[in-house]
Amino acid sequence: MALFETRELTAFYGDFQALFGITTTIDAGEVVAIIGANGAGKSTFLKACAGLLRSRPGSIFFDGADISGERAYDNVTRGLVLVPEGRKLFPSLSVEENLMVGGHRRRGRWTLKRIYELFPILAERRHQPATTLSGGQQQMCAIGRGLMADPRLLLCDEISLGLAPIVIRDIYAALPAIKAEGTAIGIVEQDIVQALAVADRVYCFQEGHMKLTGRPSELTREAIHSAYFGT
């Protein structure tokens, strides 16, 4: 049984339909990349999965249970955690206080000590306001805050957007350690090369529709290009 599933998932912003019948699976300990151009529906998909957008019954399942329509903070307690686009750190709190907020509703394997081992720069700057960090360090803090909730599935929205290549490398280098804990990871990523390098499975969206799915070793460059750009 898959850890996480969507079945013909749809999503709306008012009268505007953003997702059209998206069916996916994520297994325990699996890294899944969701790729697609701007406006493809990737971030909308993660928001719906996390409970930030309403979904019809029978469209989202976590550990076999139908969680469609459940509230986001209840999903955190279940072990389904979203690292949002733009990090959304609390500007009035220090790095360490932001991390501790992540562990408010659920505690487990991930402690401050382990987060600092994963991202040593956060230990050095733990008493600084989170907004004084660089963009890459803020992303590390946001991921660390998510891990503090001890997720079984960690969803990361636009994990490398706007970051320097060397910082992206450091963030992606942390993913194997997260995966080694049995945590499944879903990442929205515009960098196709980066996504294919780390993913066990890839889904490509275009204008709210699923256009391609498979394991990176099974997908040709031509197929990915066609699905990504609609050619």
Side-chain angles (χ1 to χ4, degrees):
M1 181 178 64
L3 173 64
F4 180 84
E5 293 181 78
T6 63
R7 301 176 187 173
E8 295 294 321
L9 175 65
T10 59
F12 292 81
Y13 293 103
D15 294 331
F16 174 75
Q17 187 168 358
L19 295 178
F20 299 82
I22 300 296
T23 296
T24 64
T25 62
I26 302 178
D27 293 331
E30 185 177 42
V31 177
V32 170
I34 300 155
I35 63 174
N38 286 335
K42 307 182 302 296
S43 294
T44 297
F45 174 74
L46 290 195
K47 289 176 182 177
C49 291
L52 294 174
L53 293 176
R54 294 185 63 183
S55 56
R56 61 175 177 76
S59 57
I60 304 176
F61 293 82
F62 187 70
D63 203 17
D66 186 355
I67 63 168
S68 312
E70 294 293 330
R71 295 169 295 190
Y73 57 82
D74 287 331
N75 288 333
V76 171
T77 303
R78 292 183 177 94
L80 174 57
V81 175
L82 173 66
V83 178
E85 180 181 1
R87 279 87 71 173
K88 302 295 191 296
L89 299 178
F90 298 102
S92 63
L93 302 182
S94 69
V95 169
E96 188 159 294
E97 288 168 336
N98 267 276
L99 294 174
M100 292 175 66
V101 166
H104 174 66
R105 288 181 64 86
R106 181 177 166 94
R107 298 177 184 273
R109 299 161 294 176
W110 290 98
T111 62
L112 283 174
K113 179 177 183 293
R114 296 197 64 195
I115 298 300
Y116 292 149
E117 290 171 349
L118 188 67
F119 298 121
I121 190 64
L122 298 184
E124 295 176 21
R125 306 193 175 182
R126 61 186 179 275
H127 298 307
Q128 292 183 210
T131 51
T132 65
L133 302 179
S134 69
Q137 292 162 3
Q138 287 188 35
Q139 185 67 291
M140 293 175 187
C141 187
I143 293 171
R145 181 180 61 186
L147 289 173
M148 287 288 288
D150 196 33
R152 298 177 64 197
L153 172 58
L154 183 70
L155 302 174
C156 299
D157 195 2
E158 298 289 7
I159 192 170
S160 66
L161 185 64
L163 303 183
I166 190 170
V167 177
I168 296 171
R169 182 198 65 194
D170 291 343
I171 289 173
Y172 270 89
L175 296 187
I178 299 172
K179 180 180 176 180
E181 291 291 336
T183 303
I185 306 170
I187 56 173
V188 159
E189 181 59 85
Q190 292 191 39
D191 185 331
I192 298 176
V193 174
Q194 193 70 257
L196 295 178
V198 301
D200 299 300
R201 193 199 317 260
V202 176
Y203 294 106
C204 185
F205 290 7
Q206 183 192 94
E207 296 182 349
H209 296 269
M210 177 76 74
K211 288 298 183 180
L212 184 70
T213 179
R215 300 192 179 278
S217 60
E218 302 168 348
L219 303 177
T220 65
R221 180 180 300 178
E222 292 76 16
I224 295 170
H225 185 278
S226 177
Y228 194 100
F229 294 106
T231 57

